[in-house]
Amino acid sequence: MTPEELFSTLQNLIAEQFALDPETITMSSSFTDDLGADSVDLVELVMAMEEEFDLDEVNEDDLAQLKTVGDCVKYLSGRIN
């Protein structure tokens, strides 16, 4: 999957999880500052990512590094490709 495809899929996943318009989500969107996510939201998003992208469990150290949508795209690109 290309980074653009990952972003598009992730954008829709985030929009669904956080009840947002996908067009408002950018690569630089911060989960907490821009999207209003709390720790429970982030855990639910990671579970949805694991299912959507058929990943093994994301460990807590990796999760702590995922601050923006772009961080997630970069992380997923490394895990999938």
Side-chain angles (χ1 to χ4, degrees):
M1 252 182 164
T2 68
E4 292 79 15
E5 291 169 327
L6 284 172
F7 172 68
S8 178
T9 303
L10 193 56
Q11 190 179 37
N12 290 322
L13 199 61
I14 293 166
E16 184 180 315
Q17 289 286 320
F18 298 167
L20 297 169
D21 179 352
E23 298 301 314
T24 64
I25 301 165
T26 67
M27 289 284 279
S28 62
S29 294
S30 163
F31 289 110
T32 53
D33 297 337
D34 299 323
L35 304 178
D38 61 21
S39 59
V40 173
D41 293 327
L42 293 176
V43 168
E44 290 175 353
L45 176 61
V46 168
M47 290 189 315
M49 284 172 27
E50 289 168 351
E51 185 175 319
E52 178 72 29
F53 297 105
D54 195 29
L55 300 174
D56 293 333
E57 189 172 321
V58 175
N59 71 48
E60 287 187 36
D61 291 339
D62 289 343
L63 178 58
Q65 303 303 313
L66 304 178
K67 304 288 185 200
T68 67
V69 175
D71 293 341
C72 273
V73 170
K74 184 176 169 185
Y75 174 78
L76 288 169
S77 185
R79 290 276 312 257
I80 293 171
N81 297 328

